[in-house]
Amino acid sequence: MMQIKVGIIGTEAIVSRVLRVLKSFPTFQPVNRTVQDEGEAIRAAEELGTDVEALVLSGALSHRAVKLRAALKVPAFYVPLNGGGLYKAMFTALRTGKLEGGISVDSLTKAMVSRTLNDLGLDHVKTVIYDGPAYASAEKLIAFHRRLTDSGECAMAFTGVEQVAEQLTRLSITNEWIVPSDQDIIVTLERALLSTESRRSRESQIVVGIITVDDFGKMALKRTSEHEVQKLRLDIHRMVLHYVELFDGYLTPLAGDEYLFFTTRGIFERETGGYKTIPLSKDVYKSFGLSLSVGIGFGMSANDAGTNARSALRKAKEAGGNACYMIREDATLIGPLEMADPVQAILAPTDAALIRQAEQAGMTGAYLSKLLQHMAKFQKYEYKVHELAALLNITTRSAHRLLGQWIDGGLVDIAGFEKVPKGRPRQIYRFTFLMDKSL
């Protein structure tokens, strides 16, 4: 997988939160630095700026200092506070009973604070918002909260600056630190990703897709004439062509009931909602009662992308059709995506080593696909024999045989036993090779 280095600069608390959220961005390779003030942030930014493609800083003050005083050749971003973090801080503060005495707030606009208070039914609470300079120093913010507390106007302070919260605590002023929400961090990381040179080059990367109509022959036999069959082909072709137009792509029919299309990665990613669903298959199913198998391939060349698309289509066929798989340029797998009733959450990339491990132990791609899909929906790693048989659509006897084979191959172990009123306890099997991977 192509790795894009990103520098993460901030206090230990913020850096740890960003790194946790960053796990959902497998493309990013973080290089982090923990700092205590703006001076350290500037030095860290200059140090990392030569080795990363983007910088993410923990706050507006550090970001402004870096932009003004550091010589950078890469884009720099900071995690903003958009009100989401205030909800959590307010819930925590409700337990103190001090909200009724009035609150002072910095780092957020009056509109953000008012909206949050209204949503929580606290619009009656007296609120004083800091209206000084946008990039006020920690000292000024501390003085603002301290003045209101000492005068009795406010009983509690809310601040978006960790350093201010720490100092207010030392002064015995009740306060809550407004921490950026995960969504605030995600938005910042997405902006950073889109700004990188590597990302821009990937935006124009070639994507090849192969679409096959499942069991078209059986449907054709139900038509009363060849004329009706040709009309069905034209209707499906028109629907596929319209869908590919959404990608600004190029479509050409292949032999039989198969279609080939080309587009670019950036457009394809946006139109599929980040590889979440391909609604074309649902449309075809509703209109004609047909399902599709789709293979999508990424590659640094058209040949590589086409080869990966064909391999992905083979996976979809092995899974029984009505599915979409995607294989990236590094041979990792995304999928399966159910097509007639699309799965709304993308399965995490499956690395090539996992696939090889499963195949070497005798597990087919179809069985691995069903296990991955079930795991993604229900976070389930343990099965009894009859549960596994039902999932894989095989007999209990076959499930016993496969489990023995997979145990020998190191994919499965026995997690425990379930007592039953009559007969021997039932064994519970754990698919450890899935638990060992960051799926």
Side-chain angles (χ1 to χ4, degrees), residues 6 8 18 159 168 173 181 191 207-209 212 220 222 239 293 313 327 333 335 344 366 371:
V6 58
I8 311 297
V18 174
T159 178
L168 291 176
I173 295 175
S181 67
R191 290 174 178 168
V207 171
V208 174
T212 299
K222 298 178 181 180
M239 189 171 288
S293 293
L313 180 65
I327 295 182
L333 187 71
Q344 294 303 311
L371 286 167

Side-chain angles (χ1 to χ4, degrees), residues 309-323:
R310 182 62 67 180
S311 298
L313 180 65
R314 192 178 306 117
K315 292 288 185 184
K317 290 290 188 181
E318 289 176 357
N322 190 32

